[in-house]
Amino acid sequence: MAWRAERFLYPRTCAGSGKNILSIVAPDSSYQVFSNEYWYSDQWDGLNYGRDYNPEQPFFEQYYKMAVAVPRLYAFAFQNINSEYSNGSQQNKDCYLLFVSDRNEDCYYVYGIFACKDTMDCLNMDKSELCYECIDSFDCYHCLYGWGLRNCRDVYFCYDCSGCSDCFMCSNLRSRQYCWHNEQLSAEEYQKRLAGYDLGSRRVLVGLETEFRRLAQRAIHQYAYLVKCTDCTGDLLKNCKRSLNCYESYDLIDCYNLQVGVDSKWCRDCYVAVDQCELCYDCVSVVNSYNCHFCIATWHNRDCYYCDTCVSCHDCFGCTGLKHKSFCLLNKQYSETEYRQLREKAISQMQKAGEWGQFFPAQYSPFAYNETIACDLYPLTKEEVLKRGWRWQDNLPGTFGKETVKEVADNIKDITEQIIKEVLVCQNCQKNYKIIPQELALYHKQGLPVPDSCFNCRHLKRWQSRNPRKLWTRQCDCRETKHEHQERCSNRFETPYPSTKLEKVYCEECYQKEIY
Ligand SMILES: [Zn+2]
Ligand SMILES: [Zn+2]
Ligand SMILES: [Zn+2]
């Protein structure tokens, strides 16, 4: 994961065309970058950087010496319109600071969202519109501060609700309307109470958010979110079969230790394996690839080992930046017979050196640890990172001390167009940030206050609200006397809710009996 940078964009120039671009590769890294157009063009060839393999030297060292000379793809953003501030993105239109998200329109400050519109500050959403501060929610319209919502509308501060509309501070509800703290109200009473809150005030929202977090903790928790899954463990899985310890994935078959997988089978130990990957092992960011091992960012590849950013290649070993190539080793072209012999030689040398079967060492990553998804999932301090011999980025993109206003007005009513011209300062990390016109229009439209912290702090707060991607064995916490079990249900399960946490975590049976 230390080889997957996602959310930090640096201004750079394409080493081929000279065009200004925003790149995930920092200007102070050893790598040059190419824009999409240049990288995919015939104006350069990765084979020109090829080297002879030397069996006397450690393989990773030779690979690194070669790879560092090969310009990298600037980011992973394809077919977007007017959405330069993004990465891991495809087919988005008019979006800003959008990451790992596809097919959205007018969405800002989001991560892991698909087919959404007018949505801001959300994490892991699907087919939703006008949502704000929602996490792991699908098919929603105008929901604010929701976790685990499905098919909801005008729902505020709700946890694990489905098919609901006009509900406030509720949890575990199904197909309800006008509920307030899980109490049924009349439409009039509901509207009256709602009108009593000024959601345009940041102070009010922050207070409600704190209350909501307490409510979410007290709610009943399904041991894991597994929908239409058979014989699976993990969390946030849909339509998966026989997949263990997998997270945030759908349509998996026989996968193990996989995060962010889509329509893949027989894959193991991968982070992002999508669009019909098969037999991939120990890979990161692989798309439609077959039988690839220890690879990074490969599309439509098969039978590759230790390759980084290669497209439509087969039978390559220790290569980077290649397109439509085969039988290459360290970016050098061989005949099929030569390749197979050399490959065997390299593997046996790597086995002796203890390199074979290991992923590329993190110190050779083009990214500093704190630029990558590894740091989001497994945070380490700068000292811990340096002690391991990995890199740390002291100058993440952004400025400090350039603010033109110290504090943003609490209420949206007091915010004018002027704020677009100002430079603001994050109350959490002191980094500068700005408000863009489209964003301000949405705050006005929805009557929401302007945030007083930067996107990175807002994103990390949401990110850290979720369970870790790890499983604990727990016993069902249900003590409902009306259920057909002992004083406490004896069912045990694998759950991402840490056993040290006090939430009520229920087995499937008890959860279904209580909620539906
Ligand atoms: Zn901040
Ligand atoms: Zn139970
Ligand atoms: Zn029970």
Side-chain angles (χ1 to χ4, degrees), residues 504-516:
K504 274 186 270 176
V505 183
Y506 279 20
C507 71
E508 187 66 28
E509 283 164 50
C510 294
Y511 177 82
Q512 297 295 352
K513 279 181 194 160
E514 278 307 291
I515 306 301
Y516 288 91

Side-chain angles (χ1 to χ4, degrees), residues 476 478 489 491 507 510:
C476 177
C478 180
C489 172
N491 283 345
C507 71
C510 294

Side-chain angles (χ1 to χ4, degrees), residues 478-502:
C478 180
R479 292 170 186 275
E480 286 298 331
T481 44
K482 59 183 186 288
H483 294 180
E484 291 151 12
H485 54 60
Q486 304 288 310
E487 192 196 338
R488 181 178 174 187
C489 172
S490 60
N491 283 345
R492 296 178 79 81
F493 39 71
E494 302 274 295
T495 174
Y497 290 95
S499 39
T500 48
K501 281 206 178 172
L502 299 173

Side-chain angles (χ1 to χ4, degrees), residues 14 165 215 296 447 513:
C14 167
S165 60
L215 166 118
I296 302 159
K513 279 181 194 160

Side-chain angles (χ1 to χ4, degrees), residues 120-374:
M120 284 192 292
D121 280 278
C122 284
L123 170 62
N124 190 27
M125 302 278 291
D126 205 11
K127 298 191 225 55
S128 294
E129 200 173 326
L130 275 174
C131 288
Y132 181 69
E133 283 289 358
C134 288
I135 305 177
D136 300 330
S137 297
F138 320 108
D139 302 307
C140 287
Y141 182 86
H142 194 237
C143 292
L144 316 177
Y145 293 88
W147 294 355
L149 305 179
R150 274 91 55 209
N151 193 20
C152 288
R153 197 185 168 96
D154 299 301
V155 150
Y156 308 146
F157 306 98
C158 286
Y159 174 82
D160 180 31
C161 288
S162 168
C164 294
S165 60
D166 305 288
C167 287
F168 191 95
M169 212 58 89
C170 294
S171 60
N172 305 127
L173 292 187
R174 299 292 180 270
S175 309
R176 302 288 288 271
Q177 195 177 13
Y178 306 123
C179 286
W180 191 276
H181 292 256
N182 279 30
E183 180 200 348
Q184 182 67 59
L185 301 180
S186 67
E188 295 70 36
E189 180 60 18
Y190 178 86
Q191 297 301 351
K192 204 176 107 195
R193 284 201 202 174
L194 187 62
Y197 283 94
D198 183 2
L199 299 181
S201 154
R202 198 182 318 110
R203 219 173 38 241
V204 172
L205 270 196
V206 167
L208 288 169
E209 192 194 349
T210 310
E211 198 181 335
F212 169 58
R213 282 174 181 267
R214 278 201 299 268
L215 166 118
Q217 212 172 27
R218 283 198 313 271
I220 292 172
H221 300 264
Q222 192 178 9
Y223 74 105
Y225 190 77
L226 309 176
V227 177
K228 293 183 188 148
C229 291
T230 46
D231 303 318
C232 292
T233 61
D235 199 16
L236 297 168
L237 301 180
K238 260 193 232 170
N239 279 329
C240 297
K241 288 193 188 89
R242 298 179 302 272
S243 293
L244 301 178
N245 200 36
C246 293
Y247 303 85
E248 241 186 290
S249 299
Y250 53 96
D251 301 331
L252 299 183
I253 298 174
D254 297 308
C255 289
Y256 182 60
N257 282 348
L258 191 70
Q259 298 189 29
V260 196
V262 177
D263 200 9
S264 293
K265 60 180 164 182
W266 306 316
C267 291
R268 180 179 175 144
D269 295 350
C270 294
Y271 190 89
V272 184
V274 299
D275 299 345
Q276 298 171 335
C277 281
E278 273 184 45
L279 288 169
C280 288
Y281 173 63
D282 213 359
C283 290
V284 58
S285 318
V286 281
V287 182
N288 185 235
S289 292
Y290 181 85
N291 196 37
C292 289
H293 303 69
F294 323 109
C295 286
I296 302 159
T298 59
W299 298 266
H300 321 299
N301 287 2
R302 66 179 164 84
D303 305 310
C304 290
Y305 292 77
Y306 295 104
C307 288
D308 180 0
T309 323
C310 289
V311 178
S312 304
C313 292
H314 69 86
D315 297 282
C316 287
F317 195 104
C319 292
T320 180
L322 297 187
K323 298 163 283 187
H324 304 282
K325 298 289 190 295
S326 47
F327 311 118
C328 298
L329 193 139
L330 290 176
N331 280 30
K332 204 175 159 182
Q333 182 71 64
Y334 296 96
S335 72
E336 181 172 355
T337 318
E338 285 171 325
Y339 168 80
R340 298 209 184 279
Q341 283 166 356
L342 205 53
R343 197 190 83 138
E344 288 318 303
K345 203 176 193 176
I347 291 174
S348 81
Q349 285 305 112
M350 287 177 83
Q351 279 168 337
K352 279 183 208 150
E355 293 179 315
W356 177 249
Q358 300 295 320
F359 198 71
F360 292 106
Q363 71 261 30
Y364 295 149
S365 169
F367 309 110
Y369 190 79
N370 58 330
E371 290 171 326
T372 66
I373 187 71

